[in-house]
Amino acid sequence: MLGKSDVDVLVISDAFEGVDVRDRIGDLLPYGVGRAVFFEALGFTREEALRMLEGMNMLMLDAVYYGKVIYDRGFYGQLKSRFEKLVAERGLVRIKRGWMATR
């Protein structure tokens, strides 16, 4: 069932600190099952999200570029600001199969 969802939900919370990634998936999976639209939830800490963005991780770049914020306690602004800085600094552009730095 993993990898077959129509919607991905990123849950960014420091409550995941010290929790194995597989356990996070197991903890979040039940929230998407049995819905009109199955969604796959993935959990990251704020530090992990920023590191993924800085590392030009396609999942995080796409999440910030295409994503819709459902709930935020202020961290999304920081993430979006860093994304925009990366776009300007590295000349990031979205291409067919990912992202490309033009600088």
Side-chain angles (χ1 to χ4, degrees):
M1 193 169 233
L2 287 176
K4 303 282 186 198
S5 69
D6 292 331
V7 177
D8 293 326
V9 176
L10 296 187
V11 178
I12 300 175
S13 171
D14 289 336
F16 295 122
E17 188 72 42
V19 178
D20 185 87
V21 174
R22 292 170 297 216
D23 292 333
R24 297 175 193 182
I25 292 169
D27 291 344
L28 294 170
L29 186 61
Y31 292 103
V33 176
R35 308 281 183 230
V37 174
F38 171 69
F39 65 86
E40 187 174 337
L42 305 166
F44 304 100
T45 65
R46 289 182 293 179
E47 181 182 322
E48 290 167 338
L50 286 169
R51 194 169 51 241
M52 290 169 71
L53 190 64
E54 291 288 339
M56 295 183 39
N57 176 282
M58 194 163 81
L59 171 72
M60 196 57 65
L61 290 169
D62 279 353
V64 177
Y65 185 73
Y66 292 114
K68 305 291 184 231
V69 177
I70 297 170
Y71 179 78
D72 178 37
R73 289 186 179 170
F75 177 69
Y76 180 75
Q78 182 181 352
L79 199 62
K80 182 74 171 181
S81 175
R82 187 61 198 130
F83 172 80
E84 290 168 355
K85 189 174 179 184
L86 281 171
V87 168
E89 288 174 351
R90 299 182 187 177
L92 287 184
V93 291
R94 184 71 170 92
I95 59 175
K96 186 175 183 177
R97 295 185 178 218
W99 291 85
M100 180 176 72
T102 61
R103 295 179 213 162

